Amino acid sequence: MVAINLIKKLDTADGSIEAHFELELQEGEFITLFGASGAGKTTLLRMIAGLEKPQSGKIEVNGEVWFDSQKKIDIAPQKRKVGFVFQDYALFPTMSVKENLLFAAEDDEQRKNVASLIEMVELTSLENRLPHSLSGGQKQRVALARALVRQPKIILLDEPLSALDPTMRQKLQNELAFIHKKFGVTTLLVSHDVAETVKLSDRLAHVEAGKIVKICPPMEFFSHHTLSGKLQLIGEVLKIEEDFPITVVTLLVGSSVVKTIVTCKEAQEFQIGSQAIISSKAFNPILMPVR
Ligand code: ATP
């Protein structure tokens, strides 16, 4: 189990606030930090990795204390068993794919495992290439594989897929889910993407102004408790067409385009490009395979 209780002063655009993060992750759990820009999500990840020092508090990972302000314990970042993946990949530009992974390895056993990690992310044929000659998706796969080299106790993912196009993003979400299932490493992801959060996480932690104000299954969070829909799909708003007194909202759900009707007043809550849940209540959907 990972137990976090940290206090940190944040200098935000609205002045100084005292952030207080309290969070427990069960072993193997996948939690997504979701919240507005500037709420403190990245700072929390950086404090867990030891890249940022909290004012006070404690971090305990599987019984090991990484930080304890009272006992003056502050384990160095390189000694914390953390895999960190950033949005901008942070690969070493002069090292090949393989060298990037080998550089992270601490002993022979980890070095031996590098080839199978590269194979797992399907980059064996590109293992001698330099990062600049790889696509964004390939670079992020290298970063993911590199994060696993040291057999981390926790993986920290800071919006790792947000620079990718939607198709590559979906593909890597599936790979992330696969990797999480295969290795079962406790994972903390920062994401602003509703579908990604629902797809990957066991629980969502809603971060607001330096505090985790709610933790629950992601679907419960996004459906605002008010919907008891039997069918719920998440989509991106493509078009909003007013035809008084109704408005037709067109959504992209996966690769399908779905139209639905809301009142003109309800339509004010939606913007093009934002995400929305389409839900049906008294409805018995029939599921059929696509042939
Ligand atoms: P985003 O979703 O945009 O990445 P975030 O939730 O990850 O945002 P942070 O990057 O953690 O937010 O920043 C939270 C706030 O804390 C910001 O206002 C930032 O300026 C401030 N901040 C970041 N690092 C420090 C620091 N070391 N000391 C004090 N304040 C900081």
Side-chain angles (χ1 to χ4, degrees):
M1 188 181 79
V2 177
I4 295 156
N5 190 343
L6 296 170
I7 289 179
K8 167 92 182 163
K9 189 171 142 281
L10 296 179
D11 300 317
T12 75
D14 302 321
S16 191
I17 60 163
E18 188 173 84
H20 186 179
F21 295 108
E22 284 181 282
L23 182 63
E24 275 188 6
L25 295 102
Q26 299 308 315
E27 201 159 348
E29 193 175 19
F30 196 123
I31 291 190
T32 295
L33 299 174
F34 191 88
S37 189
K41 305 176 297 293
T42 296
T43 307
L44 174 56
L45 295 196
R46 288 175 56 79
M47 288 194 290
I48 297 169
L51 303 171
E52 192 89 52
K53 196 167 173 171
Q55 253 77 43
S56 61
K58 193 171 172 183
I59 303 171
E60 198 177 320
V61 178
N62 302 352
E64 226 177 81
V65 178
W66 287 3
F67 181 82
D68 188 334
S69 54
Q70 276 188 348
K71 293 190 178 152
K72 304 215 180 313
I73 298 172
D74 188 5
I75 304 286
Q78 59 276 19
K79 297 244 168 77
R80 298 187 186 198
K81 287 236 160 213
V82 157
F84 209 136
V85 180
F86 305 88
Q87 183 186 340
D88 63 358
Y89 323 121
L91 299 175
F92 296 113
T94 56
M95 291 185 190
S96 67
V97 168
K98 194 173 168 185
E99 285 163 348
N100 261 281
L101 269 72
L102 283 173
F103 190 75
E106 292 169 306
D107 55 38
D108 282 347
E109 192 205 331
Q110 291 177 6
R111 271 185 281 277
K112 264 192 222 150
N113 205 22
V114 160
S116 69
L117 285 172
I118 293 177
E119 197 185 325
M120 182 190 71
V121 292
E122 295 172 20
L123 288 176
T124 306
S125 61
L126 304 177
E127 67 176 16
N128 294 318
R129 295 261 288 265
L130 292 175
H132 75 81
S133 69
L134 302 177
S135 72
Q138 289 165 342
K139 282 186 216 172
Q140 203 51 301
R141 287 209 212 114
V142 180
L144 273 171
R146 188 180 60 176
L148 291 163
V149 170
R150 288 190 195 170
Q151 294 154 351
K153 297 218 164 80
I154 181 164
I155 294 194
L156 306 171
L157 306 166
D158 195 355
E159 300 190 56
L161 310 182
S162 55
L164 306 175
D165 67 64
T167 313
M168 184 49 73
R169 188 170 186 147
Q170 275 186 14
K171 192 167 182 320
L172 281 206
Q173 283 166 2
N174 294 341
E175 286 184 20
L176 252 179
F178 171 78
I179 288 171
H180 182 250
K181 204 168 165 205
K182 185 173 161 95
F183 291 90
V185 186
T186 310
T187 304
L188 202 47
L189 165 78
V190 172
S191 179
H192 290 275
D193 187 286
V194 178
E196 184 168 294
T197 304
V198 172
K199 200 156 148 184
L200 292 171
S201 7
D202 299 309
R203 287 190 296 161
L204 173 152
H206 184 208
V207 186
E208 253 181 21
K211 298 214 168 41
I212 292 169
V213 290
K214 187 177 169 81
I215 304 188
C216 62
M219 229 27 213
E220 188 183 314
F221 179 81
F222 292 119
S223 54
H224 309 291
H225 300 292
T226 53
L227 298 174
S228 58
K230 289 185 178 143
L231 179 74
Q232 294 189 344
L233 303 167
I234 291 168
E236 183 186 330
V237 178
L238 294 181
K239 227 194 257 177
I240 302 172
E241 295 161 295
E242 191 176 322
D243 187 4
F244 190 80
I246 57 138
T247 297
V248 180
V249 179
T250 308
L251 294 156
L252 180 68
V253 179
S255 53
S256 307
V257 174
V258 180
K259 282 180 190 272
T260 188
I261 290 167
V262 293
T263 65
C264 291
K265 189 160 175 261
E266 285 165 345
Q268 288 167 8
E269 287 191 53
F270 302 97
Q271 287 105 40
I272 290 169
S274 67
Q275 290 179 315
I277 293 175
I278 181 161
S279 169
S280 177
K281 286 181 185 168
F283 178 51
N284 242 342
I286 298 165
L287 195 63
M288 288 189 291
V290 177
R291 297 189 204 280

